[in-house]
């Protein structure tokens, strides 16, 4: 079996290193030239709390995909949600006829992927790995395999029998749950992301520092509740993620808080910066329109008010336009815009 990891940043490099270490034939495909060269020269260095893994890997640049002479049986895609469509087109000619493209991403891009390569070659995946990367070739992975979690599921009946096969491979990276309703599972992750990722990044703080501010925690919970309500109105089910059980979500009024506390207690270290804050520190735009922005759009379609998510999107756009800097002073502005 030939496997590719398309998008080999912090999480992608971690997955590629684990699968290579497990003995699979893995090609990492990455768009940051310095990161490609560093991994070629020194391997992928994955620094975890329990150990440091230095794994030699086979890695190519995105521009070298056109030089490939073979096709892949399995592709794990870890590009940003907003890159999902063009990246799917990039890899489509190199995906075997019976191959699978697994969207291991935030947001709701699984159906976008399926439109490009076909639902019969697509699996959806929810990922929870806490990691950071600021130096080429070196990943700070705060949740090693014992504390990483995935949900995996099919979009179409034709691929349901393949879920177990892929789950067995992915279990070299973390715990994997096979779910029947992957769209609902991905929306539940979006609820968690809408609670935490952009909200705390606007304050410019690591997640645990931001959530320790009482007013901020309440605003985060409001943001997540709006996402949950919008999802319920759109027909998504409140499925357990992060290893939770259905009984943990019986009280609909506490679902968002349960997700938040589970995330903070099991996956996040004191210095963990969200992917959004990392993007802004690198001068890049974030996935806010695929996360909180999606909540605003779905809420509008179904008559669900989303004032907190709207405020989050507005301030995130200001930051990305260069008219506002991330900082703790933004909390007052968030509260004002959110109508608190």
């Amino acid at each position: 079996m030939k496997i590719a990891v398309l998008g080999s940043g912090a999480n992608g490099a971690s997955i590629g290193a684990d699968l290579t270490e497990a003995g699979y034939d893995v090609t990492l495909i990455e768009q940051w030239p310095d990161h490609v060269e560093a991994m070629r020269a020194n391997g992928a260095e994955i620094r975890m709390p329990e150990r440091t893994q230095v794994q030699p890997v086979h890695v190519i640049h995105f521009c070298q995909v056109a030089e490939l002479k073979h096709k892949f049986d399995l592709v794990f895609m870890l590009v940003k949600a907003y890159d999902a469509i063009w990246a799917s087109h990039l890899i489509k000619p190199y995906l075997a006829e019976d191959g699978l493209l697994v969207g291991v991403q935030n947001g709701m891009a699984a159906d976008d992927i399926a439109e490009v390569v076909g639902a019969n070659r697509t699996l959806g995946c929810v990922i929870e790995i806490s990691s950071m990367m600021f130096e080429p070739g070196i990943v700070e992975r705060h949740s090693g395999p014992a504390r990483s979690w995935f949900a995996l599921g099919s979009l179409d009946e034709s691929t349901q029998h393949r879920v177990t096969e892929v789950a067995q491979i992915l279990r070299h990276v973390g715990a994997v749950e096979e779910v029947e309703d992957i769209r609902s599972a991905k929306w539940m992750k979006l609820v968690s992301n809408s609670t935490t990722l952009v909200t705390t990044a606007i304050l410019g703080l690591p997640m645990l520092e931001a959530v320790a501010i009482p007013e901020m925690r309440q605003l985060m919970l409001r943001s997540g509740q709006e996402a949950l309500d919008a999802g319920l109105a759109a027909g998504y089910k409140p499925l357990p993620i992060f290893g939770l059980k259905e009984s943990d979500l019986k009280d609909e009024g506490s679902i968002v808080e349960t997700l938040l506390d589970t995330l903070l207690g099991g996956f996040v270290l004191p210095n963990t910066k969200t992917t959004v804050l990392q993007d802004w520190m690198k001068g890049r735009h974030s996935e806010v329109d695929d996360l909180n922005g999606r909540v605003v759009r779905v809420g509008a379609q179904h008559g669900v008010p989303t004032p907190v998510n709207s405020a989050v999107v507005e301030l995130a756009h200001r930051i990305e336009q260069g008219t506002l800097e991330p900082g703790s002073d933004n909390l007052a502005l968030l509260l004002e815009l959110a109508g608190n």
Side-chain angles (χ1 to χ4, degrees), residues 203-235:
L203 269 60
L205 296 174
M207 196 183 302
L208 287 177
E209 288 187 32
V211 78
I213 304 170
E215 297 88 349
M216 184 61 184
R217 179 182 172 92
Q218 289 305 310
L219 182 136
M220 291 167 65
L221 292 174
R222 287 176 58 201
S223 183
Q225 189 64 47
E226 290 176 4
L228 180 64
D229 292 343
L232 292 173

Side-chain angles (χ1 to χ4, degrees), residues 101 250 284:
L101 179 52
K250 281 186 176 180
R284 302 185 334 199

Side-chain angles (χ1 to χ4, degrees), residues 298-311:
V298 171
Q301 291 168 4
H302 297 277
V304 177
T306 57
V308 178
N309 283 274
S310 296

Side-chain angles (χ1 to χ4, degrees), residues 60 93 145 151-152 185 242:
I60 66 173
L152 193 67
F242 302 152

Side-chain angles (χ1 to χ4, degrees), residues 46-255:
I46 316 297
R47 298 175 180 175
M48 297 172 278
E50 60 271 20
R51 70 182 179 109
T52 294
Q53 173 188 19
V54 181
Q55 179 61 51
V57 292
H58 177 229
V59 55
I60 66 173
H61 191 278
F62 270 43
C63 67
Q64 295 178 293
V65 169
E67 302 171 10
L68 290 168
K69 300 296 191 293
H70 65 269
K71 295 191 175 185
F72 295 105
D73 303 294
L74 180 61
V75 177
F76 294 107
M77 187 163 74
L78 287 101
V79 298
K80 297 291 186 180
Y82 51 71
D83 289 329
I85 294 176
W86 72 260
S88 297
H89 280 289
L90 174 72
I91 203 64
K92 180 181 179 180
Y94 308 97
L95 183 65
E97 288 301 315
D98 61 347
L100 290 171
L101 179 52
V102 185
V104 192
Q105 302 163 285
N106 289 325
M108 302 295 289
D111 286 298
D112 294 332
I113 296 169
E115 287 187 13
V116 177
V117 303
N120 63 316
R121 294 198 292 172
T122 304
L123 292 184
C125 185
V126 180
I127 177 174
E128 186 50 54
I129 296 179
S130 175
S131 63
M132 302 191 301
M133 185 175 69
F134 295 98
E135 185 176 347
I138 299 176
V139 175
E140 298 176 42
R141 181 176 174 181
H142 298 158
S143 53
R147 296 173 58 244
S148 296
W149 179 90
F150 302 87
L152 193 67
S154 64
L155 303 178
D156 186 83
E157 290 183 1
S158 64
T159 56
Q160 285 182 352
H161 67 290
R162 305 287 303 277
V163 174
T164 297
E165 167 194 347
V166 177
Q168 290 173 345
I169 296 170
L170 199 53
R171 286 192 176 102
H172 292 283
V173 186
V176 182
E177 291 187 27
E178 301 174 35
V179 299
E180 293 184 3
D181 186 353
I182 189 62
R183 292 180 179 87
S184 288
K186 288 186 73 64
W187 188 272
M188 290 299 290
K189 179 63 188 302
L190 187 142
V191 170
S192 176
N193 287 341
S194 296
T195 305
T196 58
L197 294 189
V198 190
T199 51
T200 61
I202 287 172
L203 269 60
L205 296 174
M207 196 183 302
L208 287 177
E209 288 187 32
V211 78
I213 304 170
E215 297 88 349
M216 184 61 184
R217 179 182 172 92
Q218 289 305 310
L219 182 136
M220 291 167 65
L221 292 174
R222 287 176 58 201
S223 183
Q225 189 64 47
E226 290 176 4
L228 180 64
D229 292 343
L232 292 173
Y236 297 112
K237 300 175 183 176
L239 298 183
I241 58 174
F242 302 152
L244 293 167
K245 297 179 172 56
E246 287 188 15
S247 58
D248 296 319
L249 304 183
K250 281 186 176 180
D251 180 5
E252 189 173 303
S254 65
I255 288 176

